[in-house]
Amino acid sequence: MKLLQYIFICTLILTTNAIQAQSVYLTPGGKEEWLLNRLEIKTRAKQLSFSNFKPLNRKWVVNEVDKLDSLYATKDSTTKHLTELDKYNMQRLLMANSEWSKPKEIYIAEKSLIKGLYVNRANMIDKRNSDFILIANPIFNFQQGSKAGNTQSTFINQRGINVRGIIGNKIGFYFYFTENQERQPTYVQDWRSKFIAVPGAGYIKNFKIGGFDYFDIRGGVTWQVAKFMDMQLAYDRNFIGNGYRSLFLSDFSTNNMFVKVNTYFGKFKYQNIFSELVAYKRAGGDRIYPRKYFRASYLSYQPTKWLNVGLFEGVMLGKRDKLSLPLFNPIMYTSFSDNKNDKSYIGFDAKLNLVKRIQLYGQFMVDKLKTDELKNDWWGNRFGYQLGGKYIDAFGIKNLDVQVETNVVRPFMYASTDSFSSYNHYNQPLAHPLGANFKEYIGIVRYQATKPLYFEMKFMLYKQGLDSAVNNVNKNFGSNIFSFNQTRSFDNGWKTTTGDVATCTMITFLASYELKENLFFDVSYMNRNFDRMNKGVSSVNMLSAGFRWNIGRREFLF
């Protein structure tokens, strides 16, 4: 971590005179993600076309939405497919990001119970002068659930604050903090027992029976090095892709320290992320866990308004608690190392926006590939692919969106000889939450019935070949990316889902009503059935309700 800090300090000193006003990023999971997805497909706005880089640059998003908001009033052809609710949602996004949007009377609250608070209807604190901007909002989320046939209720209790701002018109900063207690369904508790971790959380403590207690702390600074380059030093997480899942890099695991460099040139955007990760976490008392180092490089090209293609490389160093120069080589596909434990993953993705109603997208991720061994289903052919589509205003119904997606990952993908070189962080996968050796099918329906009323339904089905134990001998079938020492029984004949086959179906329903700006009352239902070969079916039926304020929903959909 010290080296990342040195990079930040040296770069800041060398670029002081070149620094310009810089934005921080949108907080993942917010309601604006749905809107921005619709706007990208309907309008093909230039900056929104790079939505595969998440989180999104706040300044860029606001500039594009501001343009579209102005064009909507003139009935310009660019915005002719937008609905009245799109217009409403655009104004709410601009109001919430007032540091970059043009002042409008609708942003100003009619009255404030406490002087100086909620002058802007969307933000509790919105202070600014010529040298400083500060915006802050409280975070609250309380959801209570009941499960059929189980006396233990589920709950989520999150409280905290989200702060962001700009110093001297040059440095952007943000800080996000929540204190959390939660008790999730039994399958999440089982996941915690198996991997000694909670998805998306770092250091945890036990809370009551089956519950977890932890802090979620994120923060960072951003600055612009030149007109074509900006940088970020942060403790947070990233996501690369266009789908619900990502096979490249997802935000499923907990936060990590990283330096991020974004470079823009014409129709290209190039991103490097240099990260410090936790190699593994052991059960037991408090201790300092060993670190490992990772670089993700992603090049995105927008040749036309309707097509975007990208190349990806992920390099995981196999050295224990040590850095090496290949990590800091910013040019993708040119890293060479004498350490045989270093791992390199390469990928390709594409998306097509068609007839301003449909988006098709996909990813292909490779660890190792020998084409002449494909006919033999050789175990060493390790790759995965994603195919998906989004249909906006589906079937002619305004504000109804449908998304379908499939993800297929072969056995042993993302795994390696130990936790230092495998594709994980803090005992959690860096990409897909299922790990490897699975086929997954996802359907999502979203509908905004009125300005404050939202509905969402998700359906998921996956089949996975799990490891098995026969006569106390473990057999590795390549699903668990943390299984390093178990031997495989054969070399050829490895189909996806080979092993102890498990089938899981999951259906969720959500109704959300926005009582005031970004304050939601949620009612949700989940049904999950997990059928493992020769071991019966385990089912979860859960109904929950609660309030959340300035925070997205926390879900465990795997």
Side-chain angles (χ1 to χ4, degrees), residues 76 95 112 142 285 346 490:
D76 184 89
M95 179 172 64
S112 177
F142 181 77
I346 61 174
F490 47 93

Side-chain angles (χ1 to χ4, degrees), residues 328-528:
F328 298 101
N329 180 358
I331 308 302
M332 63 195 320
Y333 305 144
T334 62
S335 296
F336 299 97
S337 171
D338 58 358
N339 187 351
K340 64 180 181 180
N341 291 324
D342 288 358
K343 290 281 291 185
S344 180
Y345 300 83
I346 61 174
F348 167 81
D349 72 349
K351 66 178 173 183
L352 297 85
N353 291 322
L354 306 174
V355 299
K356 297 190 175 183
R357 296 281 292 276
I358 294 173
Q359 181 182 95
L360 304 177
Y361 62 89
Q363 289 183 332
F364 184 61
M365 180 74 153
V366 179
D367 177 359
K368 190 171 185 177
L369 179 62
K370 287 186 177 182
T371 55
D372 58 344
E373 291 283 1
L374 289 173
K375 62 180 181 298
N376 299 321
D377 290 317
W378 179 50
W379 78 275
N381 274 335
R382 302 185 290 272
F383 58 85
Y385 64 86
Q386 174 188 90
L387 295 173
K390 301 171 185 176
Y391 183 18
I392 304 302
D393 293 334
F395 313 110
I397 303 174
K398 292 182 178 180
N399 311 302
L400 174 70
D401 300 341
V402 177
Q403 180 177 359
V404 293
E405 180 176 305
T406 181
N407 297 284
V408 178
V409 177
R410 277 187 54 80
F412 303 103
M413 180 69 173
Y414 302 117
S416 186
T417 55
D418 59 24
S419 183
F420 284 86
S421 53
S422 66
Y423 213 69
N424 68 78
H425 165 54
Y426 216 95
N427 293 20
Q428 302 163 47
L430 276 175
H432 198 289
L434 293 178
N437 196 15
F438 66 85
K439 296 179 179 179
E440 178 188 48
Y441 308 93
I442 300 172
I444 303 173
V445 179
R446 297 185 177 99
Y447 180 56
Q448 186 175 2
T450 63
K451 290 179 178 179
L453 184 59
Y454 303 79
F455 296 99
E456 181 180 78
M457 182 183 75
K458 293 178 181 175
F459 170 78
M460 297 185 183
L461 164 67
Y462 70 80
K463 291 187 176 183
Q464 186 172 29
L466 300 178
D467 296 348
S468 64
V470 179
N471 297 325
N472 295 322
V473 177
N474 291 326
K475 290 188 176 182
N476 186 359
F477 286 104
S479 63
N480 184 354
I481 67 172
F482 303 99
S483 294
F484 312 117
N485 299 319
Q486 299 173 7
T487 59
R488 61 188 180 278
S489 302
F490 47 93
D491 287 339
N492 295 324
W494 285 91
K495 304 284 188 180
T496 304
T497 71
T498 294
D500 193 353
V501 179
T503 301
C504 180
T505 59
M506 182 179 294
I507 300 176
T508 65
F509 297 93
L510 170 67
S512 295
Y513 189 87
E514 192 171 18
L515 301 167
K516 66 180 296 293
E517 190 62 34
N518 228 4
L519 173 61
F520 291 89
F521 173 68
D522 295 333
V523 177
S524 64
Y525 169 77
M526 180 181 73
N527 172 263
R528 181 181 188 268

Side-chain angles (χ1 to χ4, degrees), residues 71-238:
L71 290 174
Y72 184 87
T74 65
K75 298 183 180 180
D76 184 89
S77 60
T78 305
T79 59
K80 68 178 182 179
H81 296 286
L82 301 184
T83 67
E84 292 183 5
L85 286 181
D86 288 330
K87 168 68 174 178
Y88 170 81
N89 293 331
M90 286 192 296
Q91 291 181 340
R92 266 40 193 186
L93 184 148
L94 296 174
M95 179 172 64
N97 296 277
S98 56
E99 68 266 44
W100 297 113
S101 60
K102 300 172 184 177
K104 295 183 180 180
E105 291 184 1
I106 60 171
Y107 301 170
I108 302 173
E110 295 179 0
K111 60 181 179 178
S112 177
L113 296 176
I114 302 177
K115 186 177 180 180
L117 299 185
Y118 286 105
V119 176
N120 177 307
R121 292 168 56 191
N123 299 313
M124 182 181 73
I125 297 174
D126 193 333
K127 302 291 185 181
R128 64 189 66 211
N129 56 40
S130 58
D131 295 318
F132 185 71
I133 296 176
L134 177 68
I135 296 175
N137 285 294
I139 295 172
F140 174 79
N141 182 19
F142 181 77
Q143 306 285 330
Q144 185 78 33
S146 61
K147 296 184 296 179
N150 195 320
T151 57
Q152 283 189 9
S153 62
T154 61
F155 60 84
I156 298 178
N157 186 1
Q158 300 175 290
R159 296 89 55 210
I161 190 168
N162 193 351
V163 180
R164 67 178 191 269
I166 301 173
I167 301 173
N169 205 32
K170 293 182 177 181
I171 304 295
F173 69 91
Y174 72 101
F175 175 73
Y176 174 101
F177 168 81
T178 58
E179 205 270 331
N180 314 271
Q181 291 91 37
E182 61 190 37
R183 179 163 59 214
Q184 295 297 341
T186 50
Y187 75 92
V188 181
Q189 297 178 35
D190 293 341
W191 198 96
R192 185 265 172 117
S193 299
K194 180 178 180 179
F195 296 110
I196 320 175
V198 172
Y203 178 80
I204 61 173
K205 297 187 296 183
N206 291 328
F207 181 78
K208 296 184 176 180
I209 300 175
F212 320 125
D213 188 333
Y214 63 96
F215 294 124
D216 186 358
I217 303 174
R218 313 177 197 181
V221 292
T222 60
W223 67 100
Q224 192 153 345
V225 179
K227 185 177 181 180
F228 58 87
M229 180 182 292
D230 64 65
M231 296 183 68
Q232 179 189 26
L233 174 70
Y235 183 72
D236 208 327
R237 60 190 79 175
N238 295 279

